[in-house]
Amino acid sequence: MRITLKYFGLLAEITHNNEEQIVLEPNVTTLLGLKNSIEQRFPTFQKTPYSMALNQALCNDDLALKDADVIAFLPPFAGG
């Protein structure tokens, strides 16, 4: 399954990337699994607060991933 990852703000600085496409390992089927995989690749994510959006909607970690999904990693933000 191929998905697109988008990184914003500090998270883009950590990954040195704004966007990438990856092929998921067969055992990564949920947002939580993806989060664990990304935190292994980028250990600094474990100490950095962030939210995840699936196809432009903020969501919980237990959602299943599908081919061609777009996941955004969002740093904390404030309104004003």
Side-chain angles (χ1 to χ4, degrees):
M1 172 174 13
R2 181 178 293 275
I3 62 172
T4 300
L5 306 179
K6 294 185 175 190
Y7 307 102
F8 293 89
L10 176 63
L11 304 173
E13 292 176 24
I14 292 169
T15 63
H16 302 285
N17 209 345
N18 290 326
E19 183 175 318
E20 66 178 325
Q21 288 193 343
I22 64 168
V23 175
L24 291 176
E25 298 292 327
N27 62 329
V28 178
T29 59
T30 64
L31 277 176
L32 180 59
L34 175 63
K35 180 179 180 178
N36 292 335
S37 176
I38 293 298
E39 288 181 357
Q40 286 179 0
R41 277 181 61 199
F42 305 106
T44 306
F45 270 46
Q46 295 174 16
K47 300 177 230 162
T48 306
Y50 65 91
S51 300
M52 296 168 65
L54 175 63
N55 300 323
Q56 299 183 348
L58 293 175
C59 52
N60 296 325
D61 292 347
D62 59 351
L63 289 178
L65 295 171
K66 302 180 306 299
D67 192 50
D69 276 343
V70 177
I71 296 87
F73 291 84
L74 307 167
F77 50 89

